[in-house]
Amino acid sequence: MIEIYYYSGTGFTLNAAKLFANELKEEVRLVPMLGAFNSGLTESEAENVGLFMPMHAGTIPLFCKKFLENFKFTRAKYIFSLITSGGASTKIHKDIDHLLKKQKKNLAAYQFVVTPNTFDPVFKVPLDEKTLRERDNIGQDIKNFAGVVSDRKHEIRLKYRNRIVENFVFPLVKLINHATDYFWLQNCFCANDKCIGCGKCETLCLSGKIKMKDGRPLWQKDVSCQYCLACLHFCPVEAVQISSKKDLPPGRIFCKDISTKELRAQKEYVREEV
């Protein structure tokens, strides 16, 4: 049996986890990291564990890092990870392996799947044919990786697009983003006059930062943002913005194969009896 711990803001990582599970000829249990954390679950008894997450600014999402620092894989003999991102693979697998080594564990296998970039809110989200193909055609990479995991192979390979960028530029970007909390991004969310008060942003917010007040979303300053950006990408009228001074250009993207109900369900988890 395999347990896959996942975190997904716009659905692409959860979609990858489901596609991966369908390729395996053994029992797979999908466990939301957020739900496990919220329910007080602190330990896995599985011998085979997968870690599925998006890449944020060249490394592990802040919440996933917090989860891995507080969660124990006591009986795990084989741990693998799959990362979804719209950019280069960088060395995120080494960041994961570093956290696992604190438990005297190591990452055995790793895969990087290219999906549309949803994390960078500064630039226009590309909605060209190439981006849409990336959204819809990740099956082959996942199928190949499922074969690696099925055979319990140890395989970590990086496909460098530009070694200078990935060895020097990305580490610098990671350092700056974490030092500034992504340039104080969590203080910049707002909704413009297009807002229809539907409350979708509140129900999808993985951190619980958004609360509706007088028919408008309010980003609470005393709640830390997880930067899943679900509020931004799922807003039906693109009212959610990063700055009140200048609206973002049109364009939002999310995985159409994953329902908002599935994404909301990440907040809770009930441990199944083995």
Side-chain angles (χ1 to χ4, degrees):
M1 194 272 287
I2 293 177
E3 282 188 347
I4 293 179
Y5 290 81
Y6 72 90
Y7 179 85
S8 187
T10 50
F12 291 105
T13 304
L14 178 52
N15 186 47
K18 292 177 69 175
L19 291 173
F20 179 85
N22 289 337
E23 292 290 340
L24 296 178
K25 297 179 180 179
E26 56 188 300
E27 182 185 353
V28 178
R29 178 183 296 153
L30 298 182
V31 182
M33 292 185 186
L34 184 59
F37 186 86
N38 289 342
S39 69
L41 186 65
T42 60
E43 184 176 352
S44 168
E45 297 182 357
E47 294 186 354
N48 304 292
V49 174
L51 303 172
F52 283 45
M53 67 189 77
M55 182 174 74
H56 285 184
T59 188
I60 308 169
L62 292 175
F63 171 77
C64 296
K65 182 174 183 291
K66 181 179 180 180
F67 175 81
L68 292 176
E69 287 174 338
N70 292 277
F71 198 83
K72 304 300 180 184
F73 302 101
T74 308
R75 297 182 59 190
K77 297 179 180 179
Y78 185 84
I79 303 178
F80 59 95
S81 71
L82 184 145
I83 307 300
T84 59
S85 174
S89 57
T90 71
K91 295 181 178 179
I92 182 174
H93 79 283
K94 291 191 175 181
D95 294 332
I96 296 173
D97 193 53
H98 176 72
L99 292 175
L100 292 175
K101 277 182 167 55
K102 295 179 179 180
Q103 302 185 39
K104 297 183 179 180
K105 304 291 182 180
N106 67 283
L107 194 63
Y110 166 88
Q111 177 63 284
F112 182 87
V113 175
V114 177
T115 57
N117 182 19
T118 62
F119 183 65
D120 192 340
V122 178
F123 303 103
K124 180 178 180 180
V125 175
L127 297 175
D128 53 23
E129 290 187 6
K130 178 178 180 295
T131 302
L132 297 178
R133 284 198 303 271
E134 287 177 345
R135 181 184 67 187
D136 298 330
N137 298 327
I138 63 173
Q140 190 57 51
D141 285 340
I142 290 176
K143 183 176 182 179
N144 293 341
F145 190 53
V148 170
V149 172
S150 292
D151 294 336
R152 304 297 190 263
K153 293 180 180 178
H154 285 65
E155 182 176 295
I156 296 180
R157 293 181 297 177
L158 284 176
K159 298 178 180 178
Y160 288 99
R161 296 184 180 185
N162 185 311
R163 288 184 178 273
I164 294 178
V165 170
E166 296 187 23
N167 284 302
F168 297 101
V169 176
F170 270 109
L172 179 60
V173 169
K174 178 175 68 174
L175 178 64
I176 294 173
N177 274 283
H178 282 197
T180 61
D181 200 10
Y182 300 116
F183 294 94
W184 304 279
L185 178 62
Q186 66 174 313
N187 298 321
C188 299
F189 289 97
C190 62
N192 63 20
D193 293 337
K194 293 181 183 177
C195 179
I196 57 177
C198 67
K200 197 170 188 178
C201 53
E202 179 187 32
T203 61
L204 284 170
C205 179
L206 296 183
S207 62
K209 186 177 180 67
I210 303 174
K211 295 295 181 184
M212 296 298 292
K213 183 177 181 180
D214 299 326
R216 303 275 295 187
L218 174 67
W219 282 261
Q220 303 171 95
K221 294 186 181 297
D222 60 341
V223 179
S224 295
C225 182
Q226 292 182 19
Y227 304 108
C228 69
L229 296 188
C231 63
L232 180 75
H233 289 286
F234 282 97
C235 179
V237 292
E238 299 188 6
V240 176
Q241 303 292 328
I242 298 298
S243 172
S244 59
K245 297 179 180 179
K246 182 180 179 181
D247 286 351
L248 292 173
R252 307 288 190 270
I253 194 166
F254 52 87
C255 183
K256 295 183 178 179
D257 294 321
I258 298 298
S259 68
T260 54
K261 181 179 179 180
E262 290 177 284
L263 292 173
R264 291 196 304 269
Q266 289 182 87
K267 301 176 187 181
E268 299 178 358
Y269 175 68
V270 178
R271 179 75 176 183
E272 298 179 16
E273 294 297 331
V274 180

